[in-house]
Every structure is written in structure tokens, then in C-alpha cells.
């Protein structure tokens, strides 16, 4: 009786299809690569004006290739008066003159393609610049363009003075409304005054944005990172008698009353309509994929609840972003976090993620403190191991491969509106994003090899004389070399198809396992400066010896060292990749 029942089961287990892990499938280019973010103003300056540019990037593509990066996402390089350093676009169809010309851009794509590096641009759909033709035309009374923006009448207070329509606040402090005499109304700007919000309830705006997407996809780019996309729609004011309602207080009393976090953004963020707009944008991407077979990727920039972030993947038959940025390793954890916190944060994304979609891992960008600053320089290799060896897409902000830290930028040198608008020469640095945007560190020469100018747009961070590409390439062991090895290792089937589980062995030591068929790797990251001995046989099927494949630069181990899985010594802040 039993044998009869077991036989079909055995047959199933032994048939190739089932024993072979069934998630081995063709993977698309974006699923296995690393996306490397370049902030164009700070990467490489080719013409000596102290400002990075496109030709600078082109000249460094070989570096990226050698590093093992397969795709670059570029912060905006479109024409801009630079009130928000390129996120205020005055001409969506042109290259910013400090960064080069359209020809330079075409050269950049051609050179990247030649090396097999895909280029992804930054789409900024929520707003334009107040110096754009569209906004200028709106001020001139052109109705078509008036309707591109969000206008509202003033409120007259008891003294007869003009006041903004409601309490909505800009991300960069103060009212989100700015008065224009020419129109006799206020316009909405969720970001700086120079970034008037576009009106997504106007189909002509939607069509215009789709044409912008088409224009750049036509030039051969592989997709877009989509900026501030959860701000696209404001609540429908017709539901409130034709007036935009006040937002409630967040209850967060630690923040300045003028700051964005003082309010709870129930009317200006995460509106239901936004998701459907993203799915419509995705259809435009897919028009191009249908033509030439190359998948165009969408990466959405949204800081929101995990449930809301997941909606960007799509819903039912409606497709959204392949890569809704997972910012949890930026927002939920830092140097003070325990191994348990790290595990919990990683599991959070894995738990909510649709089972048929890829995860992604991000530890830094041009809006947040650098990874090595947030986690501490000792954890650079450990964090890169996490980003590059977990299942899914790895994203790197330029300099993370070197462990670049935030630079000091004095109040006088501060240019980021988020810092300047604090009007606070003492505490501005808490809000300023300049420190994570200081020039890339190429070598120990003038301006870290970034530029030959006498003054660069932001000062180079201290310590560049020893922390730079050239030094790390020359050193026997360096973050650069660990990163390069990780980029290679992640091409292995185990990391492409393998399953994942993890354990916080104690409050300090986080370990994850990747396995595929009979291959198993264990990645150990010690978050603290305490030594331990850990018993990896805690993981099911982990017994016998493990050997060191890679280790962080402070590790006393050597590649090839063998340990018994039941007692692996781990020193402070050590990161180790072990193979069973
Ligand atoms: C995004 C960008 C940020 C910019 C803002 C407004 O958050 O990453 O740099 O200031 O959008 O465009
Ligand atoms: Mg330049």
C-alpha cells in the first residue's frame, strides 16, 4: 500500500524537471546586473570648469566596465537653471549646457553600448522649471500652458492680506504655494519655488510626458528612473467643494513647523491615480520593447509604506516598474541597528514582494547620507555583500565601491536648497544633501582627479589622498577589489537563481544563506566590533567544512581558509563569504 503511494512521488522527485530547481529560467539583462548611479555634476569634469559633465562620464566608462557594472542610471542631465541641481528642468528635450551637447550625449550612449553598458536616464514627471517655456507661456496668459500647472486662488485673511490657499508645505520647507501677479493666483510647487508641479489631471500633460519618454527611448536608452513619482497627483479638489483641503498635522513635534514632515501628506502623496499613471508610462516603455526586443526598465523613486511601494510593480495585468526602489536599507536601519533589525528589514521587502517579481537593494543615493557614513566605514564590505549577494537587482551609488564618506561642506559653500532653506548656519548640515554629492575620488591629485579647476562646485571630501580609485586598485586588498569580486560572484547561478534564508545569530551577527541544487554559500556580516564564534550548522543541511571565498578588508582570514561550519570565528565588523 505504502509503496504504491510512494512510487509516483519518487518518480516526480527524480524526474529532471522537478529535481532541477524550477526557477532556472532565462533572465533578462536587468535582472542580473548592477545599476550604478552617477550624479553627473560630481563624477568627472572633462573641461575644467569644476562641474562634472557627459564627456567626463564617457571617459570613465572603462572604469565601470572593469568594476563589473552593467547599467548606469544618471541623475538628470537636461537643461536646467539648477535651483535643484537638475531636478528643475527647463527643457526636457535638451542637454544642460554645463554638461555638454546632444552630440556628447549620443557619444556617451554609443560608447556605453559598445562596452555592453546600458544607460538609464532620470525622468522627472512631477514638475518642471519656472524658467521652462511652458511656465513662461502660462504666465503670458497662454491657456494651454496655464492648464499644465496647478493654480489656486488666494485666501484673504481678516486683515485683508493675501495668504496661500492652504497649509501645504514644500519638501524644502515653507509653503508649497507661490503667488504670481501675472496670473493673480498661486501655483503649487511640492519642491522648490523653481519647480512648479505639473497638472496630471490634464491629458495634454500626460501626453507631453509620454512624448518625452519616447524622445529619449528613441535615442537608445534602456529605461528611466522615475523621480518623486508618488507626488504626481494631488487629491481631486472637486471632492472638497473646489478647494484643496488642508493636510492634517503629522504629530511629529521634533521637526520645524515649516518643514514637510510637520504634516501628514494624505492629499499630496500616494494618491490612487498615481499608480495607474505609472502603468500607462510602462505601456510606453513596452512599445519600444515590442519593436526591438530590448526590455526598457522602469525604476520608481518612492519613499512610502511597503504596501504602497509594492503597488508600483503592477496590478493584475497592468505592469508597472520592474524596480520599485527598495529604500528600506536607507530608511529603516543604520550603524546602530542590530543584526535582528537588518534581518527584519530585508525580510520585510521579501515578504511583501510579489513572488514573481525581482527584489532590489539600495543603500545610498544623492539624497541621503552615504552608505559608509550611515553604517560606518568598517561595514562597507559587509553592506556591499548584502546588496550584491541577496536575490535580486543590486543598486550602487557612485563611490560605495570605494567606501566614500560624506564630505564636509561649510555653510558658505552649501548650495543644496534643502540645506540653504533652513537658514540655519549651525544645523543646516542635517538637511543638506551636499555632503553626499561631493566629487568622486579618482586619485590623490588636485581635486581628487575629478577636475583641474581651481574651485569645484562642491569641495572634495577630506581623506581623498588615500581613499580613491587609484590607491584602491594598487592596494593588495581594498573595498574596490572586494566589490569587483562580488560583482563577479553574483553572476554565479547560486546568486542568480538560488534561494535565500537568514539568521540573526545574536544582536550583532547577521548571516544569510544562498543555495541552488547542491551548491551553498553563507554570507556572514558582523555589525559590531565584538568577536564571536558562530555555529553555522544551525542552518538545515549545513555540515562539514566551509571555505572562505571572499572577506572584508579587515578580516584576518585568507581566501581558501577552511573552517568547520560548527565553529567559525568572526572578528569585529568582519564580512565573509563562505562556500560549503
Ligand atoms: C527626488 C530627487 C531629489 C529631488 C526631488 C525633486 O527626490 O531624488 O534629488 O530634489 O526628487 O525633484
Ligand atoms: Mg565640466
Amino acid at each position: 500500500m505504502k509503496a504504491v503511494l510512494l512510487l509516483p512521488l519518487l518518480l516526480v522527485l527524480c524526474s529532471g524537471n522537478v529535481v532541477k530547481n524550477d526557477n532556472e529560467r532565462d533572465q533578462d539583462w536587468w535582472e542580473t546586473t548592477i545599476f550604478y548611479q552617477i550624479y553627473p555634476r560630481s563624477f568627472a569634469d572633462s573641461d575644467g570648469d569644476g562641474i562634472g559633465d557627459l564627456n567626463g562620464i564617457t571617459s570613465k566608462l572603462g572604469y565601470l566596465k572593469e568594476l563589473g557594472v552593467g547599467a548606469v542610471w544618471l541623475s538628470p542631465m537636461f537643461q536646467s537653471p539648477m535651483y535643484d541641481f537638475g531636478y528643475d528642468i527647463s527643457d526636457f528635450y535638451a542637454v544642460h549646457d554645463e554638461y555638454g551637447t546632444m552630440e556628447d550625449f549620443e557619444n556617451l550612449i554609443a560608447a556605453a553600448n559598445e562596452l555592453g553598458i546600458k544607460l538609464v536616464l532620470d525622468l522627472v514627471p512631477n514638475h518642471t522649471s519656472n524658467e521652462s517655456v511652458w511656465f513662461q507661456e502660462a504666465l503670458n496668459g497662454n491657456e494651454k500652458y496655464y492648464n499644465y500647472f496647478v493654480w489656486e486662488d488666494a485666501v484673504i485673511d481678516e486683515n485683508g492680506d493675501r495668504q496661500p490657499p492652504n497649509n501645504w508645505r514644500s519638501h524644502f520647507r515653507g509653503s508649497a504655494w507661490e503667488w504670481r501677479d501675472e496670473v493673480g493666483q498661486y501655483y503649487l510647487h511640492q519642491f522648490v519655488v523653481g519647480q512648479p508641479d505639473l497638472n496630471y489631471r490634464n491629458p495634454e500633460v500626460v501626453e507631453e510626458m509620454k512624448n518625452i519618454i519616447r524622445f529619449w527611448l528613441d535615442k537608445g536608452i534602456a529605461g528611466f528612473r522615475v523621480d518623486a513619482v508618488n507626488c504626481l497627483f494631488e487629491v481631486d479638489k472637486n471632492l472638497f467643494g473646489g478647494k484643496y483641503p488642508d493636510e492634517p498635522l503629522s504629530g511629529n513635534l521634533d521637526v520645524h513647523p515649516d518643514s514637510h514632515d510637520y504634516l501628514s501628506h494624505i492629499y499630496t502623496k500616494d494618491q490612487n491615480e498615481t499608480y495607474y499613471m505609472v502603468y500607462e508610462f510602462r505601456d510606453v516603455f513596452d512599445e519600444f520593447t515590442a519593436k526591438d526586443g530590448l526590455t526598457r526598465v522602469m525604476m520608481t523613486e518612492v519613499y512610502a509604506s511597503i504596501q504602497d511601494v509594492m503597488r508600483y510593480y503592477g496590478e493584475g495585468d497592468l505592469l508597472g516598474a520592474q524596480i520599485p526602489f527598495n529604500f528600506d536599507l536607507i530608511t529603516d536601519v543604520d550603524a546602530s541597528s542590530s543584526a535582528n533589525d537588518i534581518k527584519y528589514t530585508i525580510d520585510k521587502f521579501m515578504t511583501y514582494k510579489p513572488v514573481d517579481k525581482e527584489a532590489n537593494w539600495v543603500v545610498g543615493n544623492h539624497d541621503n547620507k552615504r552608505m559608509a557614513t550611515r553604517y560606518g566605514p568598517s561595514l562597507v564590505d559587509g553592506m556591499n555583500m548584502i546588496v550584491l549577494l541577496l536575490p535580486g537587482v543590486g543598486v550602487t551609488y557612485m563611490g560605495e565601491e570605494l567606501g566614500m564618506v560624506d564630505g564636509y561642506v561649510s555653510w558658505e559653500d552649501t548650495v543644496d536648497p534643502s540645506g540653504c532653506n533652513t537658514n540655519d548656519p549651525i544645523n543646516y548640515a542635517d538637511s543638506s544633501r551636499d555632503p553626499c554629492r561631493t566629487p568622486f575620488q579618482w586619485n590623490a591629485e588636485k581635486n581628487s582627479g575629478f577636475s583641474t579647476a581651481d574651485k569645484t562646485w562642491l569641495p572634495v571630501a577630506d581623506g581623498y589622498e588615500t581613499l580613491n580609485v587609484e590607491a584602491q586598485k594598487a592596494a593588495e586588498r581594498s573595498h574596490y577589489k572586494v566589490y569587483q569580486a562580488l560583482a563577479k560572484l553574483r553572476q554565479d547561478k547560486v546568486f542568480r537563481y538560488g534561494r535565500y534564508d537568514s539568521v540573526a545569530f545574536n544582536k550583532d551577527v547577521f548571516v544569510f544563506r544562498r543555495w541552488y541544487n547542491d551548491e551553498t554559500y553563507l554570507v556572514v556580516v558582523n555589525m559590531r566590533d565584538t568577536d564571536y564564534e558562530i555555529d553555522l550548522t544551525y542552518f538545515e543541511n549545513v555540515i562539514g567544512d566551509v571555505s572562505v571565498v571572499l572577506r572584508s578588508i579587515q578580516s584576518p582570514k585568507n581566501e581558501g581558509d577552511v573552517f568547520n561550519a560548527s565553529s567559525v570565528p568572526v572578528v569585529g565588523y568582519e564580512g565573509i563569504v563562505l562556500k560549503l
Side-chain angles (χ1 to χ4, degrees), residues 296-577:
R296 303 308 199 283
V297 294
M298 189 194 284
M299 316 169 85
T300 44
E301 188 226 11
V302 174
Y303 295 84
S305 72
I306 190 82
Q307 292 86 350
D308 281 352
V309 168
M310 292 303 150
R311 292 190 69 185
Y312 290 91
Y313 275 117
E315 244 165 45
D317 290 341
L318 301 171
L319 296 175
Q322 293 93 338
I323 307 174
F325 276 132
N326 165 11
F327 293 133
D328 295 347
L329 291 172
I330 294 180
T331 55
D332 296 13
V333 276
D334 61 18
S336 67
S337 303
S338 66
N340 315 77
D341 297 330
I342 296 287
K343 174 178 165 53
Y344 191 67
T345 301
I346 292 169
D347 287 348
K348 174 170 132 190
F349 199 86
M350 295 304 275
T351 303
Y352 281 89
K353 179 188 77 62
V355 52
D356 58 342
K357 304 287 184 189
E358 288 286 1
N360 71 82
W361 309 100
V362 189
V363 284
N365 57 36
H366 66 294
D367 292 328
N368 290 285
K369 288 191 173 37
R370 285 191 172 111
M371 176 260 268
T373 298
R374 257 194 358 272
Y375 285 97
S378 309
L379 274 174
V380 168
D381 297 323
M383 291 314 296
N384 281 333
M385 286 174 184
I386 289 175
V387 168
L388 299 181
L389 299 182
L390 283 176
V393 175
V395 182
T396 292
Y397 176 53
M398 62 185 209
E400 280 168 9
E401 72 277 27
L402 308 173
M404 271 177 61
V405 293
D406 281 6
Y408 168 74
V409 182
S410 69
W411 170 246
E412 289 68 35
D413 283 341
T414 292
V415 290
D416 176 26
S418 191
C420 297
N421 290 358
T422 61
N423 286 319
D424 181 346
I426 309 295
N427 300 308
Y428 68 96
D430 297 339
S431 305
S432 176
R433 298 167 298 176
D434 291 331
C436 68
R437 299 174 176 178
T438 55
F440 195 81
Q441 293 159 209
W442 293 102
N443 56 42
E445 286 154 39
K446 182 180 179 185
N447 300 322
S448 68
F450 159 71
S451 170
T452 56
D454 286 334
K455 193 171 163 56
T456 53
W457 83 282
L458 284 177
V460 176
D462 287 348
Y464 74 89
E465 297 86 346
T466 49
L467 200 170
N468 62 60
V469 171
E470 210 173 276
Q472 294 202 11
K473 277 189 171 182
E476 202 192 316
R477 295 172 67 173
S478 64
H479 298 312
Y480 169 88
K481 288 193 171 164
V482 171
Y483 187 99
Q484 198 181 31
L486 288 169
K488 228 174 247 137
L489 188 60
R490 70 184 254 110
Q491 295 306 319
D492 193 289
K493 277 191 177 174
V494 178
F495 297 102
R496 293 173 56 175
Y497 306 116
R499 303 189 57 173
Y500 151 86
D501 68 359
S502 68
V503 174
F505 272 87
N506 51 48
K507 64 186 192 327
D508 298 339
V509 180
F510 171 67
V511 183
F512 65 93
R513 166 171 73 149
R514 299 295 312 273
W515 74 101
Y516 185 70
N517 292 341
D518 49 10
E519 266 200 298
T520 298
Y521 283 84
L522 294 138
V523 181
V524 179
V525 180
N526 184 355
M527 304 288 297
R528 221 67 56 193
D529 191 16
T530 308
D531 296 355
Y532 290 98
E533 192 167 286
I534 53 169
D535 179 359
L536 294 172
T537 64
Y538 182 91
F539 285 101
E540 199 187 342
N541 298 329
V542 172
I543 36 166
D545 287 344
V546 288
S547 61
V548 177
V549 173
L550 256 177
R551 75 292 191 228
S552 56
I553 62 169
Q554 70 272 47
S555 166
K557 300 181 178 55
N558 285 309
E559 282 163 20
D561 283 358
V562 174
F563 297 91
N564 192 289
S566 62
S567 57
V568 176
V570 183
V571 304
Y573 296 119
E574 197 177 17
I576 329 162
V577 181

Side-chain angles (χ1 to χ4, degrees), residues 29-233:
W29 68 268
W30 61 270
E31 293 178 277
T32 55
T33 199
I34 298 172
F35 286 80
Y36 185 92
Q37 179 190 358
I38 292 181
Y39 193 70
R41 223 174 161 73
S42 302
F43 193 55
D45 172 21
S46 72
D47 59 0
D49 62 355
I51 295 169
D53 44 53
L54 296 183
N55 288 340
I57 298 171
T58 308
S59 74
K60 299 295 187 185
L61 288 171
Y63 168 74
L64 299 178
K65 181 76 191 171
E66 236 181 277
L67 187 60
V69 159
V72 165
W73 85 259
L74 262 194
S75 281
M77 31 50 77
F78 313 103
Q79 194 59 259
S80 165
M82 296 287 158
Y83 295 121
D84 189 19
F85 296 99
Y87 284 93
D88 50 322
I89 301 172
S90 52
D91 185 350
F92 282 87
Y93 299 95
V95 172
H96 178 62
D97 44 22
E98 288 171 319
Y99 296 167
T101 62
M102 190 60 89
E103 202 185 329
D104 296 336
F105 178 76
E106 283 158 2
N107 287 339
L108 169 60
I109 297 203
N113 285 347
E114 200 141 302
L115 290 174
I117 295 176
K118 305 274 194 297
L119 197 62
V120 170
L121 292 187
D122 204 334
L123 182 72
V124 186
N126 181 66
H127 42 262
T128 171
S129 158
N130 59 347
E131 296 183 15
S132 65
V133 174
W134 306 342
F135 194 73
Q136 292 304 316
E137 279 299 301
L139 296 183
N140 288 339
N142 181 330
E143 207 184 317
K144 172 180 162 84
Y145 291 106
Y146 170 86
N147 289 322
Y148 266 40
F149 300 96
V150 181
W151 300 95
E152 186 77 310
D153 291 335
V155 167
I156 303 299
D157 67 16
E158 59 268 31
N159 302 324
D161 291 333
R162 193 176 61 220
Q163 298 296 342
N166 64 26
N167 71 349
W168 292 1
R169 282 172 174 67
S170 150
H171 280 79
F172 301 130
R173 288 208 175 187
S175 176
W177 297 99
E178 182 76 3
W179 174 260
R180 289 310 301 224
D181 274 334
E182 299 89 327
V183 176
Q185 283 184 309
Y186 284 88
Y187 68 87
L188 177 69
H189 60 90
Q190 294 212 48
F191 295 87
V192 297
V193 172
Q195 288 169 306
D197 267 57
L198 288 163
N199 171 17
Y200 273 82
R201 299 195 185 273
N202 175 359
E204 286 184 51
V205 166
V206 174
E207 212 33 56
E208 181 89 49
M209 204 44 66
K210 289 182 179 173
N211 285 336
I212 291 165
I213 296 173
R214 291 188 183 104
F215 177 84
W216 291 102
L217 289 182
D218 250 336
K219 295 224 172 266
I221 63 162
F224 279 105
R225 174 254 191 194
V226 191
D227 182 76
V229 67
N230 59 333
C231 299
L232 282 192
F233 280 86

